[in-house]
Amino acid sequence: MTVSFAEYQDTSVVDPLRQGDVLEAADPAASLWQRHLVVLTADCDLARAKHHGRVTCVPVLTEHEYLLEMQIPGLRDKAMNKFVDELRKALPPAAPKITDERLRAWPCEEEPDEIVAALGLSGRRADDVKAACESIRLLSRKPETLDDAVKLLIDSQVGAPNPQKRDKIVDGIVNKFRNAYSNPPGDALFLSSIAPRNSLGYFAYLRHLEQVPEAEIALGPDRSALRYRRISRLQDRYTHALVERFAHVFMSIGLPSAYEDVRDLHSEYLGAMYK
C-alpha cells in the first residue's frame, strides 16, 4: 500500500520533548504495550517540570495487534456462546445446573465422541453436539496472530451445526474489522503511520498507560543504552484528537455524597494528627 498521507511530522534533536511525540523502545523484544508510545504529558508540565521526570504515554499497536486484542475476543465470545447453547440443549432435563464456563471446558477435557456417548445421543442430535464440541475446541485455542484467529473463527463456524455459508461468515468478520476503522470506539484512534519507517497502520489505545522516566528518552535516533528514542511527532490536529478522546474516556463522573463525607473525614483526621 503506497499512501503519501501521514499523521506525523519529523523532529530535530534540538526540539524539546512535547505532547504527541512518538517514542520507540530500544529493545526489539519490547512488548506490544511498550514498543511504541505517544506522549500524553502536557507541554506546560514538561516545560515547568510538573511531571517530576515521569512522562505519561499511551501505547500504539499495529492494526493487526489491535484487532487481535480488541476485536477478536468479541467475535469469539459471540460464536462460542452459540456453540455452548447447542451443547446445553443436549443436556437431559434432570441434569444439574452447569455454568457456561464448565460447558466450554468440557469439550477440551474429553473427546466429542465421549461426550456424545455420555449424553446418550444418536443420529442427527449426536452429529450436532459433536460439531458444537469441535467448534468449542477450535475457539478455545489461543491464536498467535490475527490470521490464526480469523481462520479459527471461520473454521469453527463452517463446521458448526446449521452453518452459514463461508462467504457470509467471512463478510461478518470483515465488516466488524472495517467498523473499527470507520467508526472506532472512543478509546482508540487510528493512525495510518507514525514515522517514516512505520506506515503499516496503527491504533493508539487509550485505556492503557505507560510511564517512562524522561531521562531514559533520547530525542534523536540515538541507539545508546536509553530505553526509548523519539522517532517523530504527531501533527497538532492528531495530538489534540488523541488527548480529547483520552479525556472523554476518563472524564469526571459524579460521586455520591457519602463518598465525599468519608473523604472529608479522612482529611479532617489527617489534619488533627498534626495539631
Side-chain angles (χ1 to χ4, degrees), residues 11-13 15-26 34-41 46 51-58 210-233:
T11 58
S12 166
V13 292
D15 293 331
L17 189 68
R18 279 186 52 187
Q19 186 178 75
D21 281 1
V22 180
L23 311 180
E24 182 178 68
Q34 298 175 324
R35 186 188 312 121
H36 291 106
L37 306 174
V38 176
V39 174
L40 277 185
T41 302
L46 291 168
H51 62 308
H52 300 289
R54 296 186 298 272
V55 180
T56 301
C57 309
V58 293
E210 292 283 339
Q211 282 200 321
V212 181
E214 186 174 1
E216 296 184 3
I217 301 172
L219 298 183
D222 185 0
R223 296 181 179 271
S224 64
L226 296 183
R227 286 178 58 204
Y228 283 90
R229 53 182 171 268
R230 180 175 61 188
I231 57 174
S232 71
R233 173 177 294 157

Side-chain angles (χ1 to χ4, degrees), residues 227-244:
R227 286 178 58 204
Y228 283 90
R229 53 182 171 268
R230 180 175 61 188
I231 57 174
S232 71
R233 173 177 294 157
L234 295 183
Q235 296 179 35
D236 287 347
R237 173 174 295 182
Y238 302 101
T239 297
H240 296 160
L242 186 74
V243 173
E244 180 183 51

Side-chain angles (χ1 to χ4, degrees), residues 32-33 36-38 40 57-62 65-66 69-71 185-191 202-210 242 245-246 249-250:
L32 61 91
W33 303 106
H36 291 106
L37 306 174
V38 176
L40 277 185
C57 309
V58 293
V60 180
L61 313 183
T62 67
E65 290 169 341
Y66 174 79
E69 292 287 332
M70 303 301 164
Q71 300 299 320
D187 58 8
L189 178 68
F190 174 74
L191 300 167
Y202 301 83
F203 281 88
Y205 183 61
L206 307 178
R207 292 188 186 274
H208 182 107
L209 295 178
E210 292 283 339
L242 186 74
R245 289 190 178 214
F246 177 81
V249 170
F250 295 102

Side-chain angles (χ1 to χ4, degrees), residues 19-205:
Q19 186 178 75
D21 281 1
V22 180
L23 311 180
E24 182 178 68
D27 181 3
S31 75
L32 61 91
W33 303 106
Q34 298 175 324
R35 186 188 312 121
H36 291 106
L37 306 174
V38 176
V39 174
L40 277 185
T41 302
D43 292 344
C44 60
D45 287 353
L46 291 168
R48 299 177 183 177
K50 291 183 178 180
H51 62 308
H52 300 289
R54 296 186 298 272
V55 180
T56 301
C57 309
V58 293
V60 180
L61 313 183
T62 67
E63 57 186 358
H64 280 205
E65 290 169 341
Y66 174 79
L67 294 173
L68 179 61
E69 292 287 332
M70 303 301 164
Q71 300 299 320
I72 286 293
L75 290 168
R76 184 176 60 235
D77 289 346
K78 182 178 179 180
M80 181 71 84
N81 290 339
K82 181 179 177 181
F83 306 144
V84 169
D85 287 345
E86 188 70 32
L87 181 54
R88 184 178 295 282
K89 286 189 296 185
L91 298 177
K97 185 175 181 180
I98 303 176
T99 65
D100 287 350
E101 289 76 12
R102 185 71 198 102
L103 286 178
R104 283 197 294 268
W106 193 12
C108 299
E109 298 168 353
E110 297 186 41
E111 292 297 324
D113 286 336
E114 295 174 351
I115 293 175
V116 167
L119 293 174
L121 303 175
S122 61
R124 175 66 182 274
R125 197 75 195 97
D127 292 340
D128 286 349
V129 169
K130 187 184 297 185
C133 288
E134 292 289 2
S135 294
I136 290 173
R137 287 160 69 98
L138 282 173
L139 284 189
S140 296
R141 298 178 186 174
K142 182 174 177 57
E144 296 296 327
T145 67
L146 181 64
D147 288 346
D148 291 342
V150 170
K151 185 176 187 306
L152 289 173
L153 274 171
I154 294 172
D155 291 348
S156 68
Q157 294 178 77
V158 167
N162 305 311
Q164 294 179 322
K165 291 184 178 180
R166 189 181 189 281
D167 288 347
K168 189 170 183 180
I169 294 171
V170 172
D171 286 345
I173 296 172
V174 171
N175 288 338
K176 177 71 172 178
F177 288 169
R178 285 178 174 168
N179 192 55
Y181 291 83
S182 60
N183 187 29
D187 58 8
L189 178 68
F190 174 74
L191 300 167
S192 63
S193 56
I194 57 174
R197 297 183 181 180
N198 303 86
S199 57
L200 298 178
Y202 301 83
F203 281 88
Y205 183 61

